[in-house]
Amino acid sequence: MKELFNPSLMNSVVVTDCGSTTTKAVWFEKTSEGWRQTFRAEAPTTVEKPVADVTIGVANSIESLELVSGKKGLRSETTHSPISRKSEGGILDHYFSTSSAGGGLQMVVMGVVSQITGKSAERAALGAGAIVLARICLDDEAPMYVQAEKVRELRPDIILLTGGADGGAEDQVRELAEMLLLGDPKPRFGEGTKVPLVYAGNIDLTEELRNLLSSTFDFKAVSNIRPKVDVEVLEPARETIHDVFLEHVMSQAPGYSKLTEWADGEIMPTPVAVSRMIEVAAKRLDTSIIAVDIGGATTDIFSIRKEDGVFFPVHRTVSANLGMSYSVGNVVELAGVEAISRWLPFEFPPQNLRETLWNKMFRPTTIPQSLKELQIEHAVAREALRLSFQHHKELSEKVEGSREDVDIGKMFRHQESDEFDISKVDFILGSGGVLSHAPNRASAALMLMDSFEPKGITFLGVDSIFMLPHLGVFSKYHEEAALEVLFSSCIVPLGTVISPLKVRKKISKGEILASIEIEGSTPSHIQGLQITRIPLKEGEERDIRIIPKRSDVDFGAGSGKVFEGKAKGGEVGLILDGRAGVLNFASIGDSLSSLQQEWNRELGIAIS
Amino acid sequence: MYTPKLLIHSNVIIERERSLPIKGKFHVALGDSINGDALILSTELRGDLTIVRPNDRFSIPPDEALKTCLVGVGERVHIGSVLCQTKGLFGYFQESIESPVDGCVEFISEESSHIGLRSDPESLEVKAHIPGEVISLQNERLVVLRSEVGVLQGVFGRGLEYSGVLHFLPLSRSEVVEQSHLESIKENLSGAIIAGGMTFSKEAFDYAVDSNVKAIVTGSFRSNFVSESLGGLDAPSDSDMPVVLITEGFGELALSENAYAFLSWANGRMASISGRTQVRAGAIRPELIIHEADHSEVQIKEEMTMEPSIGSMVRVVRGDDFGMVGTVSEIPDELHTLESGVKARTLKVRLKNGSESYVALANLEAL
């Protein structure tokens, strides 16, 4: 089918993303300046009752696209499809689509030991674009009947069962299988059908489990995701989950079989599309990237690391309980009001803060009217992002390749070398309303800085309207065009932040940690507990030289050593951050809100 | 669009689904007019499966553990029945495993020796909860009722369902309900739904619980109260606690004029309350339903939505002016920049206190 997608013949493509609440249609066209996103429109997603047909929402979004653009010919006059291709007398070359409607792919993963097969199963599911409803392991505290009840209530689309290295644990895996029979879950869609179960554990048990479980589940076996205790092989499980999702789950979801007929190529799950675009961008920029999408209910983080010249696969986590409206109550619960209030440039009683955020949770469509409310939302966004990033780091630990000497203890010992190294990330991209639509771009930059604590030299950007899913599926068929749109229409560059990797001793406010020589500009300083903003416009790039003034300060070349790099401009410019992470906040005490005021003012952010 | 409105009206046509988790039996027929306490559905829930592992308990291989088994598949057992027993040594040092449940032996695994015990089934009944007409019977598990009732939806609730007589406390909208207010009507408290006031003091709430009040409807709760007295925002419903429903939100938020008028009208009437609240994936609001509608009021349907118009009444549901009622004086075409810096569609609202301001449409409820 590849010959159908000839990039050189493409000039006009529409892509829809069917989200849980909104279906967004985006039009990509080849203009005299290159590929651009020319128009966009949206309509409510219609996968839930009473409409229960995703194609209605798609058709409505295409109709809106015609209205917004003032152009006719997107929709076919002769067929029921809203998409009219040039081959049918219309104006489009292709139509593609992604989807996370109906909550996307929802999975339960099961393993014997939570830190080994449990985590690997979760990584496999997340990599396949799923939301993991629960990770159930034998070393969980809850008794079996409670776990079985959970499986029954959650109604997953697919269950991933793992456990035991090949030739290893057997009874424990059998116990997990018995738990599944106890739970006897029913599918979310497709009443009367069996829930698909992907088995990716000890191969010695495959046939026994097939006999035991096939009458209750749609059983599929793939190679073990942990064939040896210290080896992880996720791809076969990921691919099978993806195939089962398309074949079984999506086909049962209301209207998807018709959408599949309308679209060219497969309907790509939204997170898979986003992962794809991030990977494409990282390889083009030759840089490590973290991308975050913070929504009302969930926060997705994608990261791709480059080490020793090699790109690792995109790692994705979904914090399905952390968000800005529906899930904001969870953020308050997990982070605590004290953690949220430390980001406020004013005093606000903890009980009132909690009530403000709870009221937002129960009236999720309301928006911040006053400056104070906006600052409260930005404060809670920081904690949602910090917690989500912590979750992301916990799941991104490296599993070593095959070794002869197996060290079980290493699985359970935390080692600094295993930790996600933020200093190796060159680009942080933020998306989601609170970041993309912050009234002041500097607010978005500061939120990213406070949440991820970038180290060294890091470029910051926001996605203007979240078209990463659209670009991701488009990149499968025309990578160059997708990249052109990404850099011209999608990413809003904020600028570069410079902060020390390590500061071993306490720092005082105003103390000069390093001097910065900026090509073509007056030298500046990074000062303790201060932020300095230097104008540097989008498109501008400067060589910089960082000269530590203390022997314990490291910017990436070693303690006390000069570091050279480049700074790229953006809407905020160059930001010198001498706060050395929030660890110092604990020692700041009562003067924290006045410091927050100072940092906000330096960046031109209005404060109440 | 306005923020989705909470329905408060004394004469509404509603449709409600009543259902079982699995298939069962209907006790009503299409077209039946029924009361709130009518039984409409029933079924039996399969008992839980309990696994007993003699190989683990006796620390012997499965094939030996199988030999200790004294029961067979299909056999009925009771709590304390001996399922397995080792031979011991010359009749001494025997070990045995007793059944932890009443039920039936469902399987004995030849491979693992594990014994599956299925507990006795549980009966499950569903009542109507509200009066109405049966308009649909589906899939042997779902009944749809159509009712003409009074409805008050809240922001947050806790607890399941209850039906009883509502007693309205004759306090002002912004008054805190104290224990003394409840003591003055103590003969009416047991089994009642008590409504009124801006919030309940902790003492009043504890007194209500001790007096067997079954449900409380008020304007708001402080968050500390929710954490200390209700177990937190996400705590599961507790059948020993009253069902609660707040109409405005969290903090010290006075009852709205609409809610006050509704509850005043509902005093002494039969009501059903549900505290169930869900914010995502199809919002479910806690609601108070008055069994008999006020036919002197214009009847509305539940799905009616409103578009902004000059002169229409609105209420602010966010920010410092929360709860303030006003009239729409202007509908700007262009987006307006709020104090927060956010650009949004707004309405110019003349508030009851005389002031006029641009309020985000998303922060207004149509009245």
Side-chain angles (χ1 to χ4, degrees):
Chain A
M1 295 295 277
K2 215 173 174 176
E3 58 274 17
L4 289 178
F5 304 113
N6 186 339
S8 64
L9 298 179
M10 287 188 205
N11 291 288
S12 181
V13 168
V14 161
V15 186
T16 54
D17 170 58
C18 306
S20 294
T21 47
T22 312
T23 294
K24 298 182 193 64
V26 173
W27 200 341
F28 299 131
E29 292 182 279
K30 192 172 179 182
T31 70
S32 54
E33 294 160 333
W35 278 91
R36 295 290 184 268
Q37 179 253 283
T38 49
F39 299 100
R40 58 186 170 90
E42 57 187 55
T45 296
T46 51
V47 76
E48 305 281 352
K49 289 180 186 175
V51 182
D53 182 346
V54 71
T55 61
I56 304 295
V58 168
N60 291 340
S61 71
I62 302 293
E63 186 180 347
S64 296
L65 203 54
E66 280 192 335
L67 285 170
V68 162
S69 66
K71 295 187 185 183
K72 293 289 177 194
L74 273 182
R75 291 180 296 162
S76 169
E77 301 292 334
T78 55
T79 71
H80 292 295
S81 163
I83 311 299
S84 180
R85 293 171 184 73
K86 285 177 186 164
S87 54
E88 300 155 343
I91 59 176
L92 285 183
D93 292 305
H94 292 293
Y95 163 64
F96 304 115
S97 190
T98 60
S99 175
S100 59
L105 168 60
Q106 299 183 5
M107 289 184 62
V108 164
V109 301
M110 302 173 80
V112 169
V113 179
S114 56
Q115 295 301 309
I116 306 178
T117 44
K119 275 198 174 171
S120 290
E122 189 166 356
R123 281 194 281 267
L126 290 168
I131 287 178
V132 176
L133 299 174
R135 183 176 79 191
I136 295 175
C137 300
L138 284 184
D139 57 349
D140 293 337
E141 281 179 14
M144 185 199 252
Y145 71 91
V146 170
Q147 300 281 44
E149 184 78 30
K150 204 179 190 179
V151 174
R152 190 184 315 147
E153 283 174 355
L154 287 171
R155 302 191 75 158
D157 295 318
I158 301 175
I159 296 171
L160 175 61
L161 172 63
T162 66
D166 291 340
E170 290 190 0
D171 278 347
Q172 293 87 341
V173 184
R174 290 191 184 101
E175 197 161 329
L176 287 172
E178 283 170 2
M179 192 192 295
L180 279 172
L181 288 172
L182 250 177
D184 191 22
K186 297 290 175 272
R188 202 154 58 103
F189 298 121
E191 193 165 323
T193 61
K194 296 179 193 171
V195 175
L197 186 147
V198 177
Y199 174 63
N202 183 351
I203 56 167
D204 297 340
L205 288 175
T206 302
E207 287 318 303
E208 181 185 330
L209 292 180
R210 190 192 303 277
N211 293 336
L212 182 66
L213 297 170
S214 289
S215 56
T216 309
F217 298 94
D218 182 4
F219 185 92
K220 291 173 198 318
V222 300
S223 44
N224 198 338
I225 59 172
R226 287 300 268 262
K228 293 187 185 181
V229 168
D230 61 338
V231 174
E232 183 178 81
V233 182
L234 300 180
E235 228 21 67
R238 271 192 193 142
E239 281 175 11
T240 303
I241 291 167
H242 182 58
D243 292 341
V244 168
F245 178 53
L246 289 176
E247 172 201 324
H248 182 109
V249 179
M250 290 267 262
S251 64
Q252 303 289 341
Y256 272 97
S257 49
K258 199 183 344 169
L259 186 65
T260 305
E261 287 169 26
W262 287 358
D264 295 322
E266 64 175 58
I267 310 293
M268 201 179 269
T270 300
V272 172
V274 174
S275 293
R276 189 190 159 83
M277 195 61 224
I278 290 175
E279 185 173 1
V280 165
K283 287 176 178 170
R284 175 55 56 94
L285 294 172
D286 196 25
T287 192
S288 302
I289 296 178
I290 288 177
V292 59
D293 175 30
I294 174 167
T298 67
T299 298
D300 285 30
I301 297 184
F302 304 79
S303 63
I304 178 167
R305 292 183 281 177
K306 182 187 167 193
E307 284 179 33
D308 301 325
V310 173
F311 278 97
F312 281 74
V314 175
H315 174 56
R316 168 185 170 253
T317 50
V318 177
S319 299
N321 58 342
L322 298 172
M324 290 301 300
S325 57
Y326 302 101
S327 300
V328 76
N330 293 330
V331 182
V332 175
E333 181 72 20
L334 289 168
V337 283
E338 292 75 21
I340 296 169
S341 61
R342 65 180 162 160
W343 303 111
L344 295 174
F346 51 85
E347 301 296 328
F348 202 67
Q351 186 172 210
N352 292 32
L353 182 59
R354 193 182 297 115
E355 286 157 4
T356 301
L357 294 170
W358 283 5
N359 283 329
K360 168 75 182 184
M361 182 171 157
F362 288 93
R363 287 191 169 92
T365 55
T366 58
I367 59 177
Q369 183 89 19
S370 68
L371 195 49
K372 211 168 245 191
E373 289 176 278
L374 181 75
Q375 286 163 339
I376 290 172
E377 292 215 356
H378 287 183
V380 78
R382 285 170 169 82
E383 288 303 317
L385 290 167
R386 290 173 66 81
L387 288 167
S388 302
F389 189 40
Q390 186 57 37
H391 178 209
H392 188 83
K393 286 190 281 188
E394 280 164 8
L395 271 181
S396 73
E397 77 210 12
K398 285 187 278 191
V399 178
E400 303 273 349
S402 188
R403 288 193 316 220
E404 289 194 4
D405 51 324
V406 175
D407 183 359
I408 296 285
K410 190 175 191 304
M411 306 294 163
F412 301 95
R413 272 198 311 272
H414 168 77
Q415 293 197 356
E416 207 172 294
S417 60
D418 291 342
E419 265 194 13
F420 189 105
D421 188 354
I422 191 69
S423 69
K424 292 196 162 59
V425 173
D426 306 308
F427 180 17
I428 301 177
L429 177 64
S431 185
V434 68
L435 291 169
S436 301
H437 301 143
N440 185 331
R441 295 288 188 202
S443 299
L446 191 56
M447 277 189 272
L448 291 175
M449 287 158 58
D450 291 341
S451 308
F452 292 95
E453 297 185 51
K455 298 191 192 313
I457 301 176
T458 314
F459 186 67
L460 305 176
V462 290
D463 173 354
S464 54
I465 61 160
F466 200 59
M467 65 174 111
L468 283 175
H470 307 77
L471 290 172
V473 68
F474 186 30
S475 72
K476 185 172 176 178
Y477 307 103
H478 197 336
E479 188 172 295
E480 281 308 312
L483 281 166
E484 272 186 54
V485 176
L486 178 75
F487 295 123
S488 65
S489 309
C490 176
I491 294 177
V492 174
L494 299 178
T496 300
V497 58
I498 300 175
S499 55
L501 266 68
K502 281 195 189 83
V503 177
R504 294 195 193 281
K505 297 176 195 160
K506 198 172 170 209
I507 54 176
S508 311
K509 187 171 183 298
E511 180 189 354
I512 294 177
L513 300 178
S515 60
I516 311 276
E517 292 173 1
I518 307 166
E519 177 197 349
S521 289
T522 317
S524 188
H525 301 291
I526 293 184
Q527 292 175 267
L529 300 181
Q530 286 186 3
I531 291 178
T532 307
R533 179 181 184 178
I534 297 171
L536 189 64
K537 289 186 191 152
E538 181 181 344
E540 292 181 345
E541 193 172 282
R542 299 277 182 272
D543 289 329
I544 51 171
R545 203 160 169 268
I546 307 167
I547 305 150
K549 292 303 183 191
R550 274 173 36 170
S551 59
D552 65 309
V553 177
D554 178 4
F555 281 87
S559 294
K561 296 201 172 134
V562 172
F563 185 76
E564 293 179 344
K566 286 191 187 299
K568 292 183 197 171
E571 295 207 11
V572 183
L574 175 59
I575 305 168
L576 308 179
D577 185 358
R579 299 175 301 164
V582 297
L583 296 173
N584 278 312
F585 282 19
S587 58
I588 291 170
D590 292 340
S591 56
L592 183 54
S593 65
S594 61
L595 273 174
Q596 292 284 6
Q597 289 177 22
E598 198 181 297
W599 297 332
N600 278 266
R601 264 196 293 268
E602 173 64 23
L603 290 176
I605 300 169
I607 50 177
S608 59
Chain B
M1 268 181 59
Y2 288 117
T3 204
K5 187 187 154 175
L6 297 173
L7 179 61
I8 303 178
H9 197 78
S10 55
N11 189 3
V12 188
I13 300 173
I14 62 172
E15 289 181 9
R16 290 289 181 270
E17 293 181 355
R18 306 291 292 165
S19 64
L20 289 166
I22 56 171
K23 288 183 178 179
K25 185 177 148 190
F26 293 118
H27 293 266
V28 292
L30 265 182
D32 282 355
S33 281
I34 56 177
N35 296 325
D37 58 1
L39 174 67
I40 56 173
L41 288 159
S42 68
T43 191
E44 281 200 340
L45 288 177
R46 204 161 75 132
D48 286 338
L49 187 68
T50 305
I51 307 287
V52 173
R53 298 176 178 75
N55 60 320
D56 286 344
R57 292 275 291 272
F58 296 146
S59 301
I60 54 178
D63 56 341
E64 288 186 29
L66 278 169
K67 295 174 190 168
T68 69
C69 199
L70 301 178
V71 294
V73 174
E75 198 169 318
R76 186 148 179 82
V77 296
H78 299 284
I79 295 175
S81 311
V82 176
L83 301 174
C84 304
Q85 194 170 64
T86 59
K87 287 198 177 118
L89 199 58
F90 308 117
Y92 292 100
F93 309 114
Q94 282 179 327
E95 284 181 88
S96 54
I97 301 173
E98 294 171 359
S99 173
V101 299
D102 292 329
C104 192
V105 178
E106 185 155 300
F107 68 81
I108 301 174
S109 169
E110 297 284 326
E111 271 126 7
S112 63
S113 79
H114 294 177
I115 302 172
L117 303 172
R118 179 71 64 186
S119 297
D120 291 333
E122 257 180 63
S123 296
L124 181 63
E125 292 183 345
V126 175
K127 293 195 174 174
H129 181 59
I130 56 173
E133 182 193 348
V134 177
I135 61 168
S136 179
L137 302 172
Q138 297 173 24
N139 300 331
E140 298 171 73
R141 53 172 289 271
L142 190 140
V143 173
V144 183
L145 299 175
R146 182 182 177 280
S147 309
E148 292 177 22
V149 291
V151 177
L152 177 145
Q153 286 180 334
V155 168
F156 166 78
R158 171 69 52 75
L160 300 175
E161 295 176 343
Y162 179 73
S163 297
V165 175
L166 185 142
H167 291 282
F168 177 61
L169 297 168
L171 309 176
S172 74
R173 295 191 295 119
S174 56
E175 209 166 336
V176 175
V177 177
E178 301 288 357
Q179 182 173 330
S180 56
H181 299 129
L182 298 178
E183 283 169 345
S184 67
I185 56 161
K186 67 179 176 193
E187 65 282 359
N188 291 329
L189 293 179
S190 182
I193 301 172
I194 301 296
M198 176 171 72
T199 189
F200 271 56
S201 70
K202 186 175 184 317
E203 294 70 31
F205 184 81
D206 291 344
Y207 182 75
V209 172
D210 292 340
S211 305
N212 199 36
V213 165
K214 290 300 190 184
I216 289 172
V217 179
T218 190
S220 54
F221 285 142
R222 298 300 315 260
S223 59
N224 286 355
F225 173 84
V226 172
S227 301
E228 289 158 13
S229 297
L230 300 184
L233 209 55
D234 282 334
S237 298
D238 181 349
S239 55
D240 290 335
M241 295 287 276
V243 179
V244 297
L245 183 156
I246 53 175
T247 61
E248 309 309 317
F250 301 97
E252 288 181 322
L253 306 170
L255 268 179
S256 68
E257 288 177 6
N258 275 7
Y260 186 91
F262 180 95
L263 293 170
S264 177
W265 160 77
N267 185 38
R269 296 174 190 267
M270 192 65 191
S272 293
I273 185 170
S274 166
R276 196 163 156 237
T277 308
Q278 181 176 293
V279 288
R280 284 181 69 175
I284 297 174
R285 298 290 191 190
E287 57 184 20
L288 174 74
I289 292 176
I290 308 303
H291 289 198
E292 201 171 319
D294 180 1
H295 294 290
S296 68
E297 280 291 327
V298 170
Q299 191 173 71
I300 64 170
K301 284 188 181 167
E302 192 170 12
E303 316 81 45
M304 281 173 60
T305 56
M306 293 173 66
E307 287 301 317
S309 59
I310 305 279
S312 55
M313 298 279 289
V314 292
R315 194 163 80 104
V316 181
V317 290
R318 177 107 190 222
D320 294 338
D321 289 334
F322 187 103
M324 298 274 274
V325 172
T327 318
V328 177
S329 58
E330 193 183 312
I331 304 177
D333 285 329
E334 64 286 345
L335 299 180
H336 188 86
T337 303
L338 307 172
E339 186 206 304
S340 59
V342 174
K343 279 192 180 161
R345 195 163 163 220
T346 61
L347 299 179
K348 196 170 182 187
V349 179
R350 188 174 301 117
L351 297 174
K352 272 198 170 175
N353 65 6
S355 65
E356 223 172 12
S357 59
Y358 288 95
V359 182
L361 183 58
N363 293 346
L364 291 169
E365 218 176 51
L367 293 180

